[in-house]
């Protein structure tokens, strides 16, 4: 009952915010939602499949370029948005088949190299617009209706977040979800129980890529422009930090982590733009924050923010019952 009330309250606040926030805050709200969408997939990938991917920004870019190219070539934007996660997932299946044989830092570096190769190709190929990128991407539309203003994209973004969270919840609570939990506990034990470990890892890898592709598709329609510079390597590191801070293997933890890091970075960007700050201040602040936040979380909140808060609330509930005995 408490979870239902909390969920309804969060949904009401989420729906109310776009109409309350001003024009300067709405872009942050949209980018926060897009980050949350990708981070849910990263949390699922790291928390259940035990795979560290530093290339989620590549699938974000694949989704954005897919939707942009289709829209610029006369395909309805809705079809382009649907194609974005599909193409990203298919790309993950092709790329993941050889890469997921690697483990640990080998896999992390391989996915990082994948993103660097993709961005290099996007900067040289003619149909992707090269380093200049793709411009004048049509607004998102469905039939005769066309999205106008940041408020509409805020609702579209958070509808995508709700979809991603619903899919993730259904996956976790289903029969394959139980197999994933066994996989997260011990790959050896899962394999000895007859669970196809490689297949499940590849499936989760593709699903997390689809989430990133969906976010990329919405991003391209919102900005109307995509280029290799829109998807830096730091973006992939950012998603890892968000997932770890919120709590790996938790859906709401990913949203909390994305919210905390996005708002923190927004505050630092405001600070770095003050008079007297050097031009390199934003990038220095970003890297410093990622390092410090990771150190603090690993040392004091190893399970992440959400599990830490949940465990503390559970202990508080149990204390009175223990005292009365």
């Amino acid at each position: 009952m408490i979870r239902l009330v909390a969920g309804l309250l969060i949904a009401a606040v989420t729906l109310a915010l776009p109409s309350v926030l001003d024009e300067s805050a709405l872009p942050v709200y949209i980018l926060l939602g897009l980050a949350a969408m990708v981070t849910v997939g990263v949390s699922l990938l790291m928390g259940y499949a035990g795979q560290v991917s530093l290339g989620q920004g590549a699938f974000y870019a694949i989704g954005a370029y897919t939707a942009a190219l289709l829209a610029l070539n006369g395909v309805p934007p809705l079809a382009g948005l649907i194609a974005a996660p599909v193409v990203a997932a298919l790309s993950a299946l092709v790329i993941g088949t050889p890469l997921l044989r690697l483990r640990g830092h080998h896999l992390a570096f391989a996915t990082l190299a994948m993103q660097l190769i993709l961005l290099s190709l996007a900067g040289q190929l003619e149909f992707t617009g090269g380093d200049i990128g793709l411009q004048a991407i049509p607004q998102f539309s469905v039939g005769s209706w066309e999205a106008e203003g940041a408020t509409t994209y805020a609702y579209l973004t958070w509808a995508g977040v709700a979809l991603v969270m619903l899919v993730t919840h259904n996956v976790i609570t289903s029969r394959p979800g139980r197999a994933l939990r066994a996989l997260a506990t011990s790959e050896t034990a899962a394999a000895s129980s007859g669970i196809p470990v490689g297949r499940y890892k590849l499936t989760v890898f593709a699903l997390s890529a689809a989430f990133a592709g969906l976010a990329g598709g919405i991003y391209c329609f919102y900005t109307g422009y995509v280029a290799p510079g829109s998807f830096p390597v730091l973006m992939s590191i950012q998603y890892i930090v968000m997932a770890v801070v919120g709590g790996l293997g938790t859906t709401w933890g990913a949203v909390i982590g994305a919210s905390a890091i996005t708002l923190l970075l927004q505050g630092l960007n405001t600070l770095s733009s003050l008079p007297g700050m050097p031009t390199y201040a934003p990038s220095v602040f970003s890297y410093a924050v990622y390092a410090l936040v990771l150190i603090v979380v690993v040392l004091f909140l190893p399970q992440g923010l959400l599990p830490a808060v949940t465990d503390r609330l559970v202990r508080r509930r149990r204390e009175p019952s223990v005292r009365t005995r």
Side-chain angles (χ1 to χ4, degrees), residues 58-300:
F59 299 118
Y60 191 96
I62 289 173
Y65 272 102
T66 298
L69 287 169
L70 291 175
L72 288 171
N73 285 279
V75 177
L78 178 59
L81 184 59
I82 294 173
V86 174
V87 174
L90 292 176
S91 301
L93 289 174
V94 174
I95 296 170
T97 299
L99 288 190
L100 291 183
R101 296 180 180 180
L102 303 173
R103 293 185 178 184
H105 64 278
H106 296 96
L107 176 62
F109 286 133
T111 53
L112 177 62
M114 172 196 68
Q115 180 170 348
L116 293 173
I117 292 171
L118 178 69
L119 294 178
S120 178
L121 290 174
Q124 296 179 16
L125 295 175
E126 184 178 352
F127 74 94
T128 59
D131 289 328
I132 298 175
L134 301 174
Q135 305 178 28
I137 300 171
Q139 293 289 321
F140 180 76
S141 62
V142 179
S144 59
W145 176 84
E146 184 176 292
E148 294 182 0
T151 302
T152 305
Y153 282 101
Y155 284 119
L156 178 62
T157 298
W158 284 93
V161 174
L163 175 62
V164 164
M165 294 179 69
L166 178 62
V167 171
T168 303
H169 175 75
N170 288 336
V171 168
I172 293 174
T173 55
S174 65
R175 184 176 179 181
R178 291 192 291 272
L180 284 175
R181 285 193 289 274
L183 177 61
T185 303
S186 172
E187 287 188 20
T188 304
S192 62
S193 301
I195 296 174
V197 173
R199 188 190 309 168
Y200 273 90
K201 282 186 176 181
L202 187 59
T203 302
V204 175
F205 189 64
L207 184 61
S208 66
F211 293 165
L214 177 60
I218 296 174
Y219 172 81
C220 87
F221 290 119
Y222 170 59
T223 60
Y225 168 77
V226 292
S230 305
F231 314 100
V233 173
L234 185 61
M235 175 183 287
S236 295
I237 300 174
Q238 173 180 301
Y239 298 140
I240 297 290
V241 175
M242 290 176 175
V244 172
V245 168
L248 295 177
T250 62
T251 306
W252 283 106
V255 178
I256 292 172
S259 302
I261 297 299
T262 300
L263 294 177
L264 179 60
L265 290 178
Q266 183 63 26
L268 290 175
N269 287 335
T270 303
L271 178 63
S272 63
S273 62
L274 294 176
M277 285 290 183
T279 56
Y280 55 81
S283 59
V284 171
F285 280 162
S286 297
Y287 283 107
V289 165
Y290 293 148
L292 289 175
V293 168
L294 275 179
I295 292 172
V296 170
V297 170
V298 169
L299 288 177
F300 301 103

Side-chain angles (χ1 to χ4, degrees), residues 1-10 169 252 310 317:
M1 185 63 181
I2 296 177
R3 291 184 178 180
L4 177 60
V5 173
L8 292 175
L9 181 60
I10 292 172
H169 175 75
W252 283 106
T310 303
R317 288 181 182 177

